[in-house]
Amino acid sequence: LAISCFFRLVIDLHTMNSPLIHSSRVPLLNLHANLSRVIHGKSECLENLIVALLAGGSVLLEDVPGVGKTTLAKALASSLHLTFHRIQFTPDLLPSDILGTSIYNPVDGTFTFRQGPIFCNVLLVDEINRASPRTQSALLEAMSESQATIEGVQHRLVAPFFVLATQNPVEFHGTYPLPEAQLDRFLMQLNLGYPDLDTEVEILFSQSDRPPLDSIEPVLSVAELLDLQRQVRSVRMDESVARYLVMIVQATREDSRLRLGVSPRGSLMLYRAAQAVAYVAGRDFALPDDVQRMASNVLSHRLTMTSKARYGSTSKTQVVADILSRVRVPT
């Protein structure tokens, strides 16, 4: 125990003296503090959301109504000095309502393109599964290539571009399941869950005066966030760790409980997430622990289970946990 504590102290001192921490840790801590003022008792979920932001990926928040999914998205947008748009998905929503359309001017007989709400930095897609698959497909190109092709013309989206979508998994009336191609474009899926007793009491008193969301101030600008994302891309990953990551992904393609495993896009997103979580931890190199920590959130929603497994007692997260226990960790 004494030896373990000594090495832990050495690691902490190295982290404190690292220039990486002094230059970039402060705005990340401020961002986490902002989110914690609004969402109580969900520190790990908030950390994962920040990791996704640094990795440059989008997030799907799936949970029951009333646990704070939309509030968390709005708190993130308020904490960033970025342009923010919100789209409430409904069954009658059209792709042009998201992307934009050309408006005819009868005076001079010309068409003027009017941008849709997708042209922003942070896009909140509320209840994404309420829109038809045709409308959901309007996000595919934007989420994977940061551009939108409208009437044959390619429009680049502003950087950084981040989609935060919410959906309710227990409501089926008037909803459409997300297709695999849509799910594969989300870096990770997060679940908030119900708060414990003490946390829920704390939530009641935090709302007694005014909502904490109203007092949030931006702590990150566009330039700062882009710089952080560039630093995340420079985090090193040894070939043995990268091979370990790919072995986990390939194991999902060979598991008899799965009809569809993780795609190469999923491998790349797990790679980016491992880089980001290492960066948040104050390291300029990724460890197998980083891959393991992000595996469930990054990989689970990309899996398609067989009918037999789906109606059994096994969940997607359990499948990922079983694979992690089987794949040999590099030393």
Side-chain angles (χ1 to χ4, degrees), residues 100-146:
T101 187
S102 294
I103 306 298
Y104 177 69
N105 188 345
V107 177
D108 54 12
T110 61
F111 287 87
T112 303
F113 177 69
R114 179 173 296 176
Q115 293 182 345
I118 201 172
F119 290 89
C120 64
N121 295 120
V122 181
L123 179 66
L124 169 58
V125 180
D126 213 0
E127 297 186 309
I128 186 174
N129 55 334
R130 287 198 175 276
S132 66
R134 176 192 176 193
T135 302
Q136 292 179 21
S137 65
L139 296 173
L140 295 179
E141 183 182 12
M143 293 176 64
S144 62
E145 303 174 44
S146 295

Side-chain angles (χ1 to χ4, degrees), residues 298-317:
V298 176
L299 302 183
S300 296
H301 66 281
R302 306 174 192 279
L303 305 177
T304 302
M305 304 186 71
T306 61
S307 300
K308 180 180 179 180
R310 186 169 63 250
Y311 294 109
S313 58
T314 304
S315 64
K316 295 180 180 180
T317 55

